């Protein structure tokens, strides 16, 4: 079933255990539309719009309050990025 879904299902994002992330140096009244692919290996499926603003919700396991050896998480005062999203 996994192989069938991988070939036929568009990708979507869900945050199941949310933590609110506030970007201090981003204007409170600004919102941008970013793009993410509908399928990472099928560019012909197009892209979808995702809102980007000062307040975002991220997965709790993707946030740390102290620096760890893992580099794929966000924590205070450290630059981090979003995979497969472009603004």
């Amino acid at each position: 079933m996994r192989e069938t879904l991988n070939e036929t299902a568009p990708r979507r994002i869900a945050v199941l255990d949310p933590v609110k992330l506030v970007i201090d140096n981003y204007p409170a009244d600004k919102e941008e539309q970013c793009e993410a692919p509908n399928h990472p290996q099928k560019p012909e499926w197009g892209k979808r719009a995702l809102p980007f603003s000062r307040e975002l919700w991220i997965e709790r396991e993707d946030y740390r309050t102290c620096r760890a050896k893992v580099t794929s998480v966000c924590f205070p005062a450290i630059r981090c990025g979003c995979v497969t999203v472009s603004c």
Side-chain angles (χ1 to χ4, degrees):
M1 175 179 258
R2 182 181 297 264
E3 293 82 16
T4 301
L5 287 174
N6 187 47
E7 290 297 317
T8 60
R11 302 304 195 260
R12 294 299 178 257
I13 297 171
V15 178
L16 303 177
D17 189 12
V19 170
K20 188 175 188 177
L21 173 71
V22 178
I23 305 170
D24 290 335
N25 62 350
Y26 195 84
D29 59 346
K30 185 174 181 182
E31 183 175 293
E32 296 180 57
Q33 292 297 311
C34 300
E35 292 185 331
N38 284 317
H39 193 290
Q41 286 86 39
K42 299 181 182 284
E44 66 274 13
W45 285 17
K47 296 182 178 186
R48 65 188 184 281
L50 298 173
F52 180 87
S53 65
R54 178 185 167 114
E55 297 180 354
L56 303 172
W57 294 94
I58 64 171
E59 203 59 55
R60 187 172 307 277
E61 69 180 34
D62 291 338
Y63 177 81
R64 302 286 183 270
T65 56
C66 61
R67 186 169 211 159
K69 291 185 179 185
V70 178
T71 58
S72 62
V73 297
C74 295
F75 44 94
I78 301 296
R79 185 180 182 143
C80 62
C82 299
V83 178
T84 70
V85 176
S86 59
C87 291

